[in-house]
Structures are given as structure tokens and as C-alpha cells.
Amino acid sequence: MANERIRACRACGAPVSPFMTFGRMPLANGFLLPDQVPSECFFELSPACCERCGLFQLMEQPAAERMFHGAYPFYSSSSVRMQRHFAELAAGIASRLAGVSDPLVVEIGSNDGTLLRHVRGAGCRVLGIEPAENVAAVARGLGIDVVSAFFDDRVGADILSRHGHAHAVVAANVICHIANIHAVAAGIAHLVAPDGFVIIEEPYLGDMIAKTAYDQIYDEHVFMLSARSIGYVCAQHGLELTDVVPQDTHGGSMRYVLAPAGSAPIHPRVIERLAHERAHGLGEPETYDAFRMRCERSRSTLRELLLSLRGQGKRVAAYAATSKSATVTNYCGIGPADIAYIADTTPLKHGKLSPGAHIPIVPAAEFARHPPDYALLFAWNHAQEIFAKEPAFRAGGGKWITYVPQVGVVA
Ligand code: TMP
């Protein structure tokens, strides 16, 4: 399974070249046992932004089967906040479908059924599509019908022939994972009913740039989408961007609402967002040069901070073995000498080593049992939930370190 490398934009075919490289990176969810270290898989993490269509993408990506498999360690239900978010999204979808008889909602990348469980509870028929067998099994355990597949135009046509049109197609944090974005858009366009709608939620390029959240860039995020780029791709498949709604999930995301062209009014927010993206230079090479320089500064500041704490004999650990943390540890050269352990709630990660950096992952309870002096917060996007969950850490004199939007000790 070779890494896939491109020279031309995945959306429009224009030549693209990287504006920076993070170097050789492991799979962000490639948590491993010590005996697996010699066969660890790496790829070159180098992003580019297409000057013609504005699609932000990775020049190289490992094969999908290496990333999404029967031991995929990410469960949508692992954060209380995300559970709440999906419950709200489900309620919104159900209320929009209130007048439709026997509506069908299809979710691409249905993971452990966190969203569909609520959609079904609101009276809709549901169908999930999920290639990672372990998370799909959790959804099936909830009684949700799940197709085991990587979604594309063929899968979309197959579902259409078996189940009929979907009144709503939902994809949250998954379109950015699939390199063949045209096959996905074509599949969605096939599947959605002529009067149906599509909701796509993804980490937002604009937030990543504004916050210097470079840790959003890792193997699974082959794209960081914007209103301009998703609108461009979907328009080629007869879908129109009808609304955009910023979300505070995943450190800053965007909800894109689409519909078959001409079937629904376009909210003024779409025009405003496109203008906002132009005004913030999301398509300009200078924006990415400046971003690269901020990444380099962030890296040196974080390294200096950790080195200085080590020099003072402080004990430093990290909190949450997020996918994003693989980019931070490997780009900044942070290893077990800097960080004693990473505490995390996911049992599948316990007893393993973090990808590339090989920092031991321990159960979250270890954090309270052996609190460090400083804790590097890899799940910065869940900061409030975690601070509320770990009040004893601060009360005992512990200090949180963050690196988004800037490196520093949290006051
Ligand atoms: P991500 O959604 O940013 O990739 O992060 C998910 C990881 O963070 C997952 O391994 C669970 C972990 N996590 C904790 O360990 N404790 C927490 O309180 C939260 C919210 C997440």
C-alpha cells in the first residue's frame, strides 16, 4: 500500500506545489506497541493550497486502508461536547424533515452512531456508511444499519438502488479524509433527493490559519476546506452551497449546507463568507508564507519552554492523545524525554506508544494519580470540558500548557 503523491490539484487539476513541509510523519492514529516500531509507516507531510480553486490539500497521503481499519481508535462519543453537538445537529435535521413522510437520512462516516442514534430517535429512517469496522460495530450494536465501505460514486449509486433517495445526506469530519473528493461529491449528488439537502461539517481552513492551528494538518486531513473550495467542487456535480454556519467544534469548523442546484434559496451568509475568505487572503500564497513562519515560531517557542521546564526539573506530561498531537510532537521533536506520558480516555490507545514520538499512552486516571507539574494540552479544542473535569490538577498547583493560538502557560 504505497503513499499517494500528487502534483496537480485534486479538485481542478492545476499544478500545485507545497508551501512548507513538516517532514516525515507517522499516521496520526498509528498508536503502536514497542515491537511494531521497526515497521512503523511514514509519509512526507507537505501541504499546498491551489491558487486556481483554493483547495488546501496534502501533496502526499498514506493509503486509506492504512488509516481507517478494524482498529481505528477514534470514537465520536469520546467527548461530551461532541455528543451534545451531534444531538443538536440531529434535532435540526429532524425538524427540517418534519413535513417529509418516512424520511431517510444517510450519514457518511457514521463512526459509532453518535449522530444517527439521535436522528433515528427523532423518527427518521437512518443508514450509516463507515469503513472502520470496530466503530461501525458499536453503531450496529445500537441497532443502526451500517454499510461497510469507503464512500464514493459507486457506493452512492448502490445505496440509491437499494434504499431510494436520501432526504438528507450528512458528513461530519469525513470529507476532509477522502482524497477522491470528486467521487464523494458525485456520490452525494446521486443519492440526495431532488428536494433534499446535504450537511457537511469540517474543520475550517479560515480558523486553522487564524489560530495557527497547524496541528490540524495530518495524514487523515487530506483537505482543509473552505466555502470557496467546497462550493467549487460540489458545483461540478450539480450541488449548490446554500448556507454556511461557523461551528466551534474541532477548534473551529464550518457547516456547509448544500442542495441540488436551484432547489433552495441561497442564504446571504454564503456571499458574506466568500467575501470574508477573499479579504483574509485564503487563496493567496502570501497567507501561507506567513502561516509557515508562524508555525516555525510556534515550534521553537514550544521547544524552548519544554527545555526550560526540563532544566528546572519540572515533571511534564500531556493530556489527550489526539490525532493532532502527532503533528505537534513529530514536527517539534518532542519525545519521552520531554513528556513522561500522555493521559487519554480511549482504552484502545492504552499501553501503546504515540506515533513517531513513542511517548507512552496511559489511562486518563493516571493523570490524577501521578499529576505532573505541567500538562501539555493536546486536546486544546476541548479545553473547557477538560479543565472542568480536572479541577484538582490546578488546585494542586498544576499548570496547563497550550500552543494554540500561541504557546504559553494557561493563566
Ligand atoms: P480529537 O477529537 O481532537 O482527535 O481528540 C480526541 C482524543 O482526546 C481521544 O483520544 C480522547 C481524548 N480525550 C481525552 O482523553 N479526555 C477528554 O476529556 C477528551 C475530551 C478527549
Side-chain angles (χ1 to χ4, degrees):
M1 281 182 285
N3 298 339
E4 190 222 352
R5 208 167 293 168
I6 57 154
R7 284 164 196 271
C9 171
R10 289 181 171 87
C12 73
V16 282
S17 50
F19 63 85
M20 71 181 288
T21 180
F22 290 91
R24 262 177 95 245
M25 287 283 151
L27 305 184
N29 272 304
F31 297 90
L32 68 179
L33 294 166
D35 66 350
Q36 295 171 317
V37 168
S39 57
E40 194 169 12
C41 161
F42 288 89
F43 73 108
E44 179 77 18
L45 182 62
S46 43
C49 188
C50 176
E51 285 186 47
R52 190 198 284 169
C53 72
L55 185 64
F56 184 101
Q57 56 204 295
L58 300 187
M59 298 294 292
E60 185 173 325
Q61 199 196 26
E65 293 77 8
R66 276 198 199 271
M67 297 185 284
F68 310 108
H69 42 63
Y72 185 57
F74 180 80
Y75 291 81
S76 293
S77 57
S78 67
S79 142
V80 174
R81 180 143 155 275
M82 288 310 290
Q83 288 187 34
R84 206 182 317 124
H85 175 79
F86 284 126
E88 285 165 12
L89 175 57
I93 292 168
S95 91
R96 209 171 146 170
L97 292 173
V100 179
S101 109
D102 195 24
L104 171 66
V105 176
V106 173
E107 187 185 13
I108 302 169
S110 49
N111 198 274
D112 57 10
T114 299
L115 173 77
L116 288 185
R117 173 168 83 83
H118 293 293
V119 177
R120 187 187 51 184
C124 302
R125 271 185 303 138
V126 299
L127 177 68
I129 303 157
E130 175 55 62
E133 283 298 343
N134 58 322
V135 290
V138 176
R140 289 196 186 103
L142 299 170
I144 294 169
D145 191 4
V146 181
V147 175
S148 295
F150 287 97
F151 185 80
D152 59 12
D153 46 345
R154 198 184 40 80
V155 173
D158 188 50
I159 292 173
L160 177 65
S161 70
R162 286 168 198 266
H163 300 267
H165 278 121
H167 301 89
V169 177
V170 190
N173 309 305
V174 67
I175 303 297
C176 68
H177 290 178
I178 310 174
N180 192 347
I181 195 163
H182 280 300
V184 172
I188 293 174
H190 260 97
L191 195 53
V192 69
D195 57 349
F197 62 93
V198 179
I199 292 185
I200 292 175
E201 276 191 18
E202 301 288 324
Y204 180 52
L205 176 65
D207 282 302
M208 185 194 84
I209 298 293
K211 296 176 186 167
T212 316
Y214 66 85
D215 57 350
Q216 293 284 14
I217 303 172
Y218 56 90
D219 56 343
E220 294 177 19
H221 285 178
V222 64
F223 303 119
M224 285 297 287
L225 296 173
S226 61
R228 179 183 170 206
S229 60
I230 193 85
Y232 170 82
V233 171
C234 288
Q236 293 176 53
H237 301 277
L239 295 171
E240 196 164 50
L241 189 57
T242 58
D243 200 359
V244 285
V245 188
Q247 307 291 316
D248 63 4
T249 50
H250 287 288
S253 298
M254 190 62 75
R255 177 176 299 165
Y256 305 99
V257 185
L258 300 113
S263 69
I266 296 177
H267 197 284
R269 275 191 290 257
V270 173
I271 311 300
E272 286 160 20
R273 178 56 52 178
L274 290 169
H276 181 272
E277 290 180 356
R278 271 194 304 277
H280 286 77
L282 286 197
E284 306 301 327
E286 297 74 28
T287 302
Y288 297 95
D289 285 342
F291 176 74
R292 173 178 48 74
M293 285 189 273
R294 293 199 303 278
C295 291
E296 288 164 3
R297 206 159 42 234
S298 176
R299 169 173 63 175
S300 49
T301 314
L302 183 56
R303 275 158 75 145
E304 279 159 25
L305 174 60
L306 294 177
L307 264 178
S308 135
L309 292 174
R310 208 204 298 182
Q312 296 166 46
K314 302 289 187 196
R315 191 174 142 85
V316 184
Y319 200 97
T322 58
S323 327
K324 300 189 290 293
S325 66
T327 300
V328 180
T329 52
N330 290 282
Y331 174 59
C332 299
I334 298 170
D338 309 290
I339 288 179
Y341 62 78
I342 308 176
D344 192 280
T345 50
T346 314
L348 212 53
K349 298 181 185 177
H350 300 157
K352 298 206 171 136
L353 301 173
S354 73
H358 305 153
I359 301 165
I361 315 295
V362 303
E366 283 298 301
F367 187 73
R369 219 170 287 141
H370 303 287
D373 300 309
Y374 287 80
L376 179 54
L377 184 58
F378 283 137
W380 54 265
N381 49 316
H382 297 297
Q384 296 319 318
E385 179 175 337
I386 291 169
F387 294 166
K389 202 158 68 174
E390 303 285 358
F393 175 58
R394 271 173 157 162
K399 294 192 171 67
W400 293 103
I401 299 172
T402 191
Y403 52 91
V404 172
Q406 266 143 16
V407 174
V409 175
V410 180

